[in-house]
């Protein structure tokens, strides 16, 4: 089980949009194999880059409205928000070195 | 130094692991960090794997493969191989995690990766209406209109699966017959939510930031027409995943790893290959598994002679 915080429609503003540090939102579901495989990698990145980026989760089964609002049609969808704005969007499970590279601008 | 390193974690890789582990070779199976389990992880019901009369889920089958391999001492590593040097007697395998492993033999079971249509905007719209995984993404197309492109078993399976969610599924195929197995074809053809669009290929993806439809081209007379869609699932086949080794082992004209006769022997001594990466024809879980067994036995014989 991931250590990442579970975010809901109700908490999305406080947990994501109002944060000063970049927040990566992992849109996922229990039945999504690639989501389960990328989850521990995201946990590692969150731990290694603590303070630089925060990683939270949205369960698309439970939060369908939120998934729809952010145009999710494929999971895992990894979206980075900074200053309340969506600044980066990625789709699919990727190996750690590739994710770290894609997130370099936030992890530096 | 290890006796054997297996690269790949589909039916071929895990079967090779079961056999080499039982032969006392202490295999290291490098499974990949995010695609462990291979293609079957994306399927739902597997009905044709012998020994399971009631069928089972693809991911469950792969979990069984892994458990059986681990039971006999296989070490499974969730990392990606980024570089290999297979030419010498000592085979060198480097991972994305920064570790270098050495082995006397290597079994390549890297499988095949889905093929793209090769259209402009395909990457840009991927995850925004364009998908390669019905089981992953079908959920997002409840009561929507979508299409599947392809004519093989995977296309039939995806189309049938997607009717659980979508209100309408077009099945776009460039010929006037499917190459899928009869049982899978019949299911698709008899599904009231599926409409087959024969003799048609996707000529263009439409939409900015989000797929809104496709332009279809008639493969007989060249006429084009637009089709409004919320989603497009691409199931037009797979290409063998050979980039890791393409400059080291001999490939066939079709870019599969070349093996000697019915064996798993590649052009390099001590390097064996199994599963979809050597198979342009059959590509079934059971044929991949059998091929993994062959590779394990070939590696075992090689070790006995060296």
């Amino acid at each position: 089980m991931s250590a990442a915080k579970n975010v809901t429609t109700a908490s999305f503003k406080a947990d994501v949009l109002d944060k000063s540090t970049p927040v990566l939102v992992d849109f996922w579901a229990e039945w999504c194999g690639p989501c389960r495989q990328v989850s521990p990698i995201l946990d590692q990145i969150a731990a290694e880059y603590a303070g630089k980026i925060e990683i939270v989760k949205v369960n698309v089964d439970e939060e369908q409205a939120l998934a729809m609002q952010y145009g999710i049609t494929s999971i895992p969808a990894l979206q980075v928000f900074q200053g309340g704005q969506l600044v980066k969007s990625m789709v699919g499970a990727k190996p750690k070195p590739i994710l770290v590279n894609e997130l370099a601008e936030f992890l530096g | 130094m290890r006796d054997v390193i297996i690269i790949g974690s589909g039916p071929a890789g895990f079967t090779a692991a079961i056999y080499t582990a039982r032969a006392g070779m202490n295999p290291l199976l490098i499974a990949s960090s995010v695609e462990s389990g291979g293609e079957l992880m994306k399927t739902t019901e597997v009905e044709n794997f012998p020994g399971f009369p009631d069928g089972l889920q693809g991911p469950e089958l792969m979990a069984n493969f892994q458990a059986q391999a681990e039971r006999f001492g296989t070490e499974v590593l969730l990392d990606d191989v980024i570089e290999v040097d297979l030419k010498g007697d000592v085979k060198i395998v480097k991972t994305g995690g920064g570790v270098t492993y050495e082995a006397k033999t290597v079994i390549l079971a890297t499988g095949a990766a889905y093929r793209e249509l090769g259209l402009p905007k395909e990457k840009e719209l991927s995850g925004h209406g364009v998908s390669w995984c019905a089981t992953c993404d079908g959920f997002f197309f409840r009561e929507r209109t979508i299409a599947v492109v392809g004519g093989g078993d995977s296309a039939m399976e995806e189309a049938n699966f997607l009717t659980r969610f979508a209100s309408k599924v077009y099945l776009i195929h460039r010929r006037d017959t499917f190459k899928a197995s009869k049982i899978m074809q019949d299911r698709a053809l008899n599904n009231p939510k599926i409409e087959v669009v024969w003799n048609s290929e996707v000529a263009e993806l439409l939409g900015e930031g989000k797929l809104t439809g496709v332009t279809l081209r008639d493969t007989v007379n060249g006429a084009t027409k637009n089709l409004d869609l919320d989603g497009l699932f691409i199931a037009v086949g797979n290409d063998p995943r050979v980039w890791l080794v393409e400059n080291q082992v001999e490939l066939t004209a079709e870019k599969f790893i070349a093996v000697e006769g019915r064996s798993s022997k590649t052009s390099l001594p001590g390097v064996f290959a199994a599963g979809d990466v050597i198979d342009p024809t059959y590509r079934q879980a059971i044929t991949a598994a059998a091929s993994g067994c062959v590779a394990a036995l070939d590696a075992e014989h090689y070790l006995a002679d060296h």
Side-chain angles (χ1 to χ4, degrees), chain A residues 31-34 36-38 41 60-61 64 67-68 71-76 79 89 91 93-97, chain B residues 33-37 41-42 59 80 96-97 126-131 133 135-137 139-142 144 230:
Chain A
W31 41 261
C32 161
R36 285 201 298 271
Q37 296 188 320
V38 81
I41 294 174
V60 299
D61 274 328
Q64 294 191 24
M68 197 170 285
I72 308 298
T73 62
S74 188
I75 54 172
Q79 300 197 335
S89 180
V91 174
K94 294 178 182 146
K96 186 176 171 188
Chain B
S33 62
V34 291
E35 292 181 289
S36 175
M41 297 300 282
K42 295 180 190 164
D80 307 290
S126 162
H128 303 282
V130 175
S131 171
C133 180
T135 55
C136 308
D137 303 336
F139 173 82
F140 299 102
F141 296 93
R142 273 178 217 281
R144 306 287 178 86
D230 300 304

Side-chain angles (χ1 to χ4, degrees), chain B residues 149-283:
Chain B
V149 198
D153 274 350
S154 324
M156 304 299 126
E157 189 196 337
E158 300 228 326
N160 276 308
F161 176 78
L162 288 165
T163 59
R164 294 188 198 179
F165 306 101
S167 50
K168 170 97 186 174
V169 178
Y170 291 99
L171 185 48
I172 301 166
H173 187 47
R174 60 192 163 144
R175 303 183 204 285
D176 60 4
T177 52
F178 290 131
K179 61 175 191 276
S181 59
K182 186 164 187 314
I183 185 169
M184 297 300 285
Q185 285 195 36
D186 287 348
R187 274 182 209 167
L189 293 169
N190 294 328
N191 189 318
K193 281 188 177 179
I194 296 178
E195 179 179 336
V196 182
V197 187
W198 299 106
N199 293 319
S200 294
E201 60 189 9
V202 178
E204 196 183 345
L205 302 173
L206 307 173
E208 294 300 327
K210 179 177 174 289
L211 183 85
T212 55
V214 295
T215 301
L216 294 176
R217 187 191 299 120
D218 190 305
T219 54
V220 179
N221 62 25
T224 59
K225 64 172 179 190
N226 287 356
L227 181 64
D228 290 342
L229 294 173
D230 300 304
L232 181 72
F233 288 77
I234 300 171
V236 293
N238 292 287
D239 291 314
R241 219 183 254 128
V242 295
W243 64 268
L244 203 55
V245 297
E246 60 191 345
N247 299 318
Q248 298 183 43
V249 303
E250 218 170 274
L251 302 182
T252 67
E254 297 164 284
K255 296 258 176 202
F256 289 80
I257 295 177
V259 291
E260 194 187 307
R262 296 186 61 201
S263 82
S264 67
K265 293 174 191 162
T266 69
S267 57
L268 291 176
V271 180
F272 306 92
D276 284 7
V277 78
I278 66 165
D279 180 3
T281 314
Y282 304 106
R283 294 182 300 212

Side-chain angles (χ1 to χ4, degrees), chain A:
Chain A
M1 193 60 209
S2 167
K5 184 170 188 177
N6 189 41
V7 170
T8 64
T9 305
S11 68
F12 198 81
K13 186 169 183 299
D15 285 338
V16 179
L17 301 178
D18 291 349
K19 290 276 175 172
S20 51
T21 49
V23 182
L24 184 153
V25 183
D26 170 20
F27 290 87
W28 74 289
E30 199 67 56
W31 41 261
C32 161
C35 297
R36 285 201 298 271
Q37 296 188 320
V38 81
S39 186
I41 294 174
L42 293 173
D43 283 350
Q44 286 171 25
I45 293 174
E48 283 166 34
Y49 297 92
K52 301 231 159 91
I53 195 164
E54 206 175 315
I55 297 183
V56 301
K57 288 193 179 315
V58 169
N59 182 325
V60 299
D61 274 328
E62 290 159 11
E63 304 295 337
Q64 294 191 24
L66 210 47
M68 197 170 285
Q69 186 183 339
Y70 286 98
I72 308 298
T73 62
S74 188
I75 54 172
L78 309 176
Q79 300 197 335
V80 184
F81 291 81
Q82 195 167 26
Q85 299 291 317
L86 175 63
V87 290
K88 189 169 184 74
S89 180
M90 297 178 278
V91 174
K94 294 178 182 146
K96 186 176 171 188
I98 293 176
L99 277 180
V100 168
N101 195 30
E102 294 231 18
L103 294 169
E105 56 187 298
F106 310 107
L107 307 178

